[in-house]
Amino acid sequence: MANNQAAIKFLNNAASLAVGLGIGAAAVNSSLYTVDGGQRAVLFDRFRGILENTVGEGTHFLIPVLQKPYLFDIRTRPHHFTSMSGTKDLQMVHLTLRVLSRPEVSRLPTIFKTLGLEYDDKVLPSIGNEVLKAVVAQFNADQLLTERPHVSALVRESLIKRANDFNIVLDDVAITHLSYGPEFSKAVEQKQVAQQEAERSKFVVMKAEQEKRAAVVRAEGESEAAKLISDATLAAGMGLIELRRIEASRENAATLARSGNVVYLPKGNDMLLGLNAGH
């Protein structure tokens, strides 16, 4: 009987010890928290509110129930958002912006107080659209293409300043996509066609002008040749003409001689074919 009572007492003590150890382990576990690599913690205290100092990587103690940690990812993260903006000449442009952002570590308590854990989703799309609309409105639609590096630089500079107001650091800002509405695209296409037609018309006019000049030069050359022949004829006198008539008559006589259809020459037709016509 005594042995049974001793055994029961031992079991009760063991159970009490186990419960105590369990409670102690739970208390210890609830008083510890871990901050992983690339993270920082902001500690909330029920009596003092958000503590001003951030907590770095590692395992740390807190007061259970009274304190609670909130973890921030401080690594650079990409964000993409789009905007439909109007240009200076009232054309609508669709742009996509990519930013690489991270929180300013020393200002994490302030970020948590004012914006919460989802600070970037609350801030970046709104200020991104604001900056894009303000910058695009300074340029005509065609300038967005010809001056794209300048446009990107203005967007980057303005957006970095606006993000700094919310304690957000931007490591990179880039316009990744830019497209126009169908009306403007059609207008650009028509303009290109018109320019090509203008170039073609210009070529046709230049060609006609060159042909006109060539005709004038050719006519002047023929006129000069005729003048030279006339001058030579006048200088040589009638002897040159007689010589040409004799040569022509010889050629005609030779042709007739080779022809089998001609047997004799009719009376009154000299072999010189009119050589004496001028006498």
Side-chain angles (χ1 to χ4, degrees):
M1 186 63 129
N3 291 334
N4 291 336
Q5 291 179 350
I8 293 172
K9 184 176 181 181
F10 174 78
L11 291 175
N12 289 334
N13 291 335
S16 299
L17 179 61
V19 171
L21 290 175
I23 293 174
V28 171
N29 185 62
S30 63
S31 64
L32 296 176
Y33 68 97
T34 301
V35 180
D36 294 330
Q39 292 182 332
R40 293 293 184 273
V42 172
L43 202 61
F44 172 73
D45 188 281
R46 291 186 181 276
F47 295 105
R48 293 177 293 171
I50 299 296
L51 302 185
E52 293 300 325
N53 295 325
T54 59
V55 182
E57 300 169 2
T59 300
H60 307 274
F61 288 95
L62 54 75
I63 302 174
V65 181
L66 296 181
Q67 294 181 331
K68 181 179 180 181
Y70 292 91
L71 301 179
F72 279 85
D73 188 344
I74 63 169
R75 293 169 294 186
T76 299
R77 296 189 296 174
H79 298 271
H80 295 81
F81 50 88
T82 61
S83 174
M84 183 68 73
S85 304
T87 63
K88 188 177 180 180
D89 54 353
L90 305 180
Q91 297 294 333
M92 298 306 296
V93 182
H94 185 268
L95 300 105
T96 300
L97 194 66
R98 185 208 65 189
V99 299
L100 299 178
S101 69
R102 56 186 172 85
E104 189 174 344
V105 176
S106 62
R107 304 293 293 171
L108 284 177
T110 302
I111 293 176
F112 184 75
K113 288 178 184 178
T114 57
L115 300 171
L117 293 174
E118 303 300 328
Y119 64 93
D120 45 3
D121 291 334
K122 294 178 180 178
V123 172
L124 293 179
S126 60
I127 65 174
N129 277 282
E130 172 191 340
V131 169
L132 281 176
K133 290 181 183 299
V135 172
V136 169
Q138 302 176 31
F139 297 89
N140 290 330
D142 55 345
Q143 290 178 313
L144 294 179
L145 294 176
T146 59
E147 301 182 26
R148 183 164 180 168
H150 180 49
V151 175
S152 295
L154 287 178
V155 171
R156 175 185 174 85
E157 180 182 356
S158 301
L159 195 55
I160 287 176
K161 289 181 179 179
R162 292 290 289 123
N164 187 57
D165 295 337
F166 298 92
N167 304 303
I168 299 174
V169 179
L170 300 184
D171 294 325
D172 184 57
V173 179
I175 297 175
T176 59
H177 177 75
L178 188 153
S179 62
Y180 298 96
E183 296 81 5
F184 182 78
S185 300
K186 184 177 181 180
V188 170
E189 182 180 355
Q190 291 175 346
K191 181 179 179 182
Q192 292 176 342
V193 172
Q195 289 177 342
Q196 293 176 353
E197 289 295 330
E199 290 295 327
R200 182 176 179 276
S201 300
K202 182 178 178 181
F203 172 76
V204 171
V205 171
M206 291 177 62
K207 182 179 179 181
E209 185 67 22
Q210 292 297 328
E211 291 178 349
K212 179 180 177 181
R213 292 179 181 178
V216 171
V217 172
R218 186 164 53 250
E220 290 176 349
E222 292 175 352
S223 176
E224 184 66 21
K227 184 175 182 300
L228 291 175
I229 293 174
S230 177
D231 292 344
T233 301
L234 292 176
M238 296 302 296
L240 179 62
I241 296 176
E242 291 296 328
L243 177 61
R244 295 292 186 227
R245 291 177 63 185
I246 292 172
E247 290 176 350
S249 298
R250 287 178 178 176
E251 291 179 0
N252 290 337
T255 301
L256 293 173
R258 289 193 298 270
S259 176
N261 296 327
V262 179
V263 179
Y264 66 93
L265 291 176
K267 186 178 180 179
N269 288 278
D270 198 286
M271 285 293 292
L272 295 180
L273 297 177
L275 182 61
N276 298 321
H279 295 283

